[in-house]
Amino acid sequence: MHLSLNVKFILAYLAFALLSFLGISTITSHLMLENAVEEKASAFYQEGVYLSEQYVGNYFEAQEDTDARSAIQSQLSSLSVYLDAQIWLIRRDGEIILDSDTSDSSVAGQVIEAFSPVLPGSTYYTTGDFFGMFRTETLSTLIPVTHNYHVRGYIAIHTPMASVVRIKEGYLLSIYITMIFLMILGFLFAAANWLIVYRPLRKLRRASAEYASGNFDYPIAMNRFDELGSLARTMNFMAGALRDSDEDQRKMISNISHDFRSPLTSIKGYVEAMLDGTIPPGMQEKYLNIVLRETERLTGLTSGLLTLNAMDPKQNRLSRTDFDINAVIRNTVASFEGTCTARRITVDLLFSDWHSYVNADVGKIQQVLYNLIDNAIKFSHPDSKITIETTSKYEKIFISVRDTGIGIPRDSLKKIWERFYKTDLSRGKDKKGTGLGLAIVREIIQLHGENINVVSTEGVGTEFIFSLSRAAQETGGTEAEG
C-alpha cells in the first residue's frame, strides 16, 4: 500500500502523540512518584530530627513526668496536623509510648511485633504496612532519638501513600495539560504545513505528471514568492521550453523530411524516366547532371547533420592555436572570388590592425567565416558590396560580416539559429540551402565560449558580429594559410 506524504506525516504525528502520553503515564509517572516519596520522607526526617533535639531527647529519662508527657503530646499533635501525618514515639523494643492521634484509634501502648530500626533497603524511610501496623500502603520515616550519645528510642512519622500519589498526580496533571497544549500546537503546525507545503507540492506533483504525459499546456497557478513559488515558476518555464522544443522538433523533422524528400523524388523520377526510355539517351547527360546536383545536396545535408551532432561541449575538443584572423579572412574571401566576380559583388576588408592575433581553433573559425560569407553572397543583390571588418577592444577581437542584401524579417531573427530553419525569403531565393549553416556557426562560437549577434533590416541588409579571444602573445603568432 502506497501512502502519501501527508498521510505518513499524520500517522507519524499520531504515533508521536500516543507514545508521548504512554511515556508520561508510565515512565514519567513512576519517576515523579519516586521523587515525591523521597521529598516527603526528607521533609519528615528533618522535622523528626528537630523534634528529637528540641523536645524528645531526654523524655525517655523522665517518662513519668506528666507535664513533660503533656508538652510532648501537644508537640506531636501540632506537628501531625502541620505534616498531615501520624507520629509515634517508639522504644527500642518496639513499644509505642506516644501517638499523635489521641482518639480511640490511638495505638499508644501497643508493641510492634518484629520491630527493627533497620528498614528495608537500609534507608531512613520505607513504604508498605510498617511491620503489619497498617492495612493500606503507607510511607513511614524512622528517626532515631539520641541522648548522651545513646539511642533512646525512635520517632516514626507515617502518611498514607494515597496522599503522596495525590501530590504526584497534581504535578502530572500540569504535565498532561502542557502536553495537550503542545499537541494542539503540533496539530496547528501540521495544518499549516498541509496548507503551506503539502497542497502546493500536490499541485506540483500533478503538474509533473501532466508534463510527463506530454501535456505542456497545464498551468501551475501559485502566487507565492518562496522556494515553492520559485519552483512553480521554474516548472512553468520548463513546460514552455519543452512545448517549444517539442514544436521545434516537429518543425525540424518536417524540414528534414522536406529537404530530403525533394531531391530523392527528383533522383527517383529522372532515373525511372531514363530506365523506361521516357528520357532518350541523347538527353540523359543533362538529367544525370541534375541527379548529381541533387546527390551533392543530400551529401551537404548529411555532412551538416554530422557536424552539428559532433558539436558536443563534453566530447568535442578544440585545437586552439594563436593565429592571425586577418590572414584567415583574406584566404577565405579568396575562395569566393569566382562567385563574387560572376555576380559583380565586391568585398571590402577593413582591419583595425594589419595583424590581429586570436586564440581559437583555426579550422572551425574558417568554417564560421565560410558560412557567413557564403550567406552574405547568397542573399546579396548583383553589383552590391560586402564588408568584413575586424576591431580590437580590450581582450577581444570582434569580426563583422555585413551585406546590403535582402535582410531578415524581424519575426525570423530569433529563429535563424535553429537547425533546418529557412525564412520564406531564403526558400524562394536559395533552393540549395540546408538551413544548417547558421546553426553550425553558433555551435562553433559557443564552443569557444564566445558570442555571436545579428543585426538586420529587411530590404537594407544584415550584419553578423562575433568575438574571439585575443592571443596572449600577439607577436608570437603566424599567418594561417587557407
Side-chain angles (χ1 to χ4, degrees):
M1 181 174 63
H2 298 285
L3 300 178
S4 68
L5 185 63
N6 193 47
V7 173
K8 290 179 181 178
F9 184 83
I10 293 174
L11 291 177
Y13 172 77
L14 293 176
F16 171 77
L18 179 61
L19 291 175
S20 297
F21 276 107
L22 288 176
I24 291 174
S25 61
T26 55
I27 300 173
T28 305
S29 177
H30 177 72
L31 293 175
M32 290 188 69
L33 181 59
E34 286 186 348
N35 185 64
V37 167
E38 187 172 348
E39 285 185 357
K40 197 75 169 177
S42 178
F44 286 173
Y45 190 85
Q46 292 176 13
E47 295 294 338
V49 170
Y50 177 78
L51 183 64
S52 171
E53 292 176 350
Q54 298 297 324
Y55 300 101
V56 185
N58 59 355
Y59 173 72
F60 291 92
E61 302 296 332
Q63 296 182 26
E64 302 303 325
D65 188 338
T66 305
D67 293 337
R69 181 184 181 89
S70 177
I72 294 174
Q73 181 69 54
S74 177
Q75 288 295 329
L76 291 180
S77 298
S78 299
L79 187 60
S80 173
V81 173
Y82 172 71
L83 295 177
D84 188 23
Q86 187 176 7
I87 305 174
W88 297 344
L89 188 60
I90 307 173
R91 288 181 185 276
R92 285 186 298 175
D93 60 2
E95 180 186 355
I96 303 171
I97 58 177
L98 284 178
D99 184 357
S100 61
D101 183 7
T102 57
S103 66
D104 293 340
S105 60
S106 174
V107 294
Q110 294 185 22
V111 177
I112 303 173
E113 298 295 336
F115 174 75
S116 172
V118 180
L119 298 178
S122 299
T123 60
Y124 61 89
Y125 68 91
T126 184
T127 57
D129 59 4
F130 196 71
F131 304 103
M133 296 298 294
F134 297 99
R135 295 180 180 178
T136 59
E137 189 175 15
T138 304
L139 169 63
S140 303
T141 305
L142 194 64
I143 304 100
V145 179
T146 60
H147 184 67
N148 292 331
Y149 304 105
H150 291 87
V151 176
R152 304 299 182 180
Y154 301 93
I155 295 173
I157 304 176
H158 312 283
T159 189
M161 278 297 294
S163 65
V164 181
V165 171
R166 282 196 298 271
I167 296 174
K168 183 263 295 185
E169 293 295 341
Y171 292 139
L172 202 59
L173 179 62
S174 300
I175 295 179
Y176 276 125
I177 293 173
T178 304
M179 189 66 187
I180 291 172
F181 176 72
L182 292 176
M183 289 295 105
I184 293 174
L185 286 181
F187 175 78
L188 293 176
F189 172 78
N193 180 74
W194 186 83
L195 291 172
I196 297 172
V197 178
Y198 181 73
R199 277 211 316 176
L201 281 178
R202 189 167 60 179
K203 289 183 179 180
L204 295 175
R205 184 183 64 181
R206 174 68 184 276
S208 63
E210 292 290 335
Y211 298 157
S213 64
N215 180 18
F216 301 122
D217 294 320
Y218 185 84
I220 306 176
M222 196 178 296
N223 186 24
R224 35 193 304 176
F225 301 94
D226 55 9
E227 289 81 356
L228 288 174
S230 176
L231 179 59
R233 289 189 292 274
T234 301
M235 289 184 66
N236 276 327
F237 177 81
M238 179 191 69
L242 289 173
R243 183 174 57 249
D244 294 342
S245 176
D246 192 50
E247 181 64 25
D248 292 343
Q249 186 178 19
R250 283 196 295 269
K251 288 181 179 178
M252 186 182 74
I253 293 174
S254 176
N255 289 337
I256 292 175
S257 301
H258 176 274
D259 287 333
F260 271 82
R261 184 174 61 247
S262 296
L264 286 174
T265 301
S266 298
I267 293 171
K268 180 175 179 294
Y270 290 135
V271 170
E272 287 177 345
M274 284 185 281
L275 288 175
D276 63 17
T278 303
I279 298 176
M283 298 181 63
Q284 287 183 0
E285 182 178 356
K286 172 186 174 181
Y287 292 100
L288 284 174
N289 286 327
I290 296 175
V291 169
L292 179 61
R293 286 195 298 272
E294 295 298 318
T295 305
E296 290 172 350
R297 183 180 172 187
L298 287 174
T299 302
L301 282 168
T302 305
S303 299
L305 286 172
L306 292 174
T307 300
L308 281 173
N309 190 57
M311 297 295 177
D312 185 355
K314 296 180 180 179
Q315 299 178 358
N316 199 39
R317 296 291 182 268
L318 295 175
S319 179
R320 287 181 176 269
T321 57
D322 293 346
F323 61 90
D324 182 10
I325 187 64
N326 295 347
V328 174
I329 292 172
R330 284 193 290 268
N331 293 336
T332 306
V333 169
S335 64
F336 289 95
E337 183 177 352
T339 305
C340 291
T341 301
R343 300 189 58 193
R344 302 182 303 280
I345 296 175
T346 59
V347 180
D348 288 348
L349 304 180
L350 302 177
F351 300 147
S352 58
D353 299 296
W354 182 252
H355 296 290
S356 296
Y357 289 94
V358 297
N359 180 264
D361 187 317
V362 61
K364 287 184 170 54
I365 297 304
Q366 281 179 325
Q367 187 175 6
V368 168
L369 290 168
Y370 186 92
N371 288 351
L372 292 179
I373 296 171
D374 182 57
N375 262 10
I377 295 172
K378 190 183 300 180
F379 300 111
S380 289
H381 304 291
D383 300 309
S384 62
K385 181 176 68 174
I386 295 173
T387 303
I388 303 174
E389 183 178 0
T390 61
T391 306
S392 174
K393 189 173 184 180
Y394 303 114
E395 300 302 317
K396 299 288 185 181
I397 301 294
F398 293 89
I399 299 94
S400 164
V401 178
R402 182 171 65 251
D403 64 60
T404 55
I406 62 177
I408 303 171
R410 179 178 296 180
D411 58 355
S412 298
L413 278 176
K414 293 183 179 180
K415 301 178 181 179
I416 60 173
W417 309 108
E418 298 174 6
R419 302 179 183 189
F420 291 99
Y421 180 81
K422 292 190 285 187
T423 66
D424 292 336
L425 292 175
S426 70
R427 283 191 178 277
K429 192 173 186 69
D430 172 32
K431 297 297 184 181
K432 298 181 180 179
T434 63
L436 295 173
L438 291 179
I440 294 172
V441 165
R442 186 181 65 169
E443 294 287 347
I444 292 175
I445 296 301
Q446 289 181 346
L447 200 60
H448 280 78
E450 302 292 340
N451 297 308
I452 182 167
N453 297 307
V454 59
V455 179
S456 183
T457 302
E458 193 172 355
V460 177
T462 303
E463 180 179 16
F464 288 91
I465 306 171
F466 65 93
S467 62
L468 292 175
S469 297
R470 186 199 296 270
Q473 298 292 334
E474 290 198 358
T475 58
T478 59
E479 280 198 6
E481 297 300 328

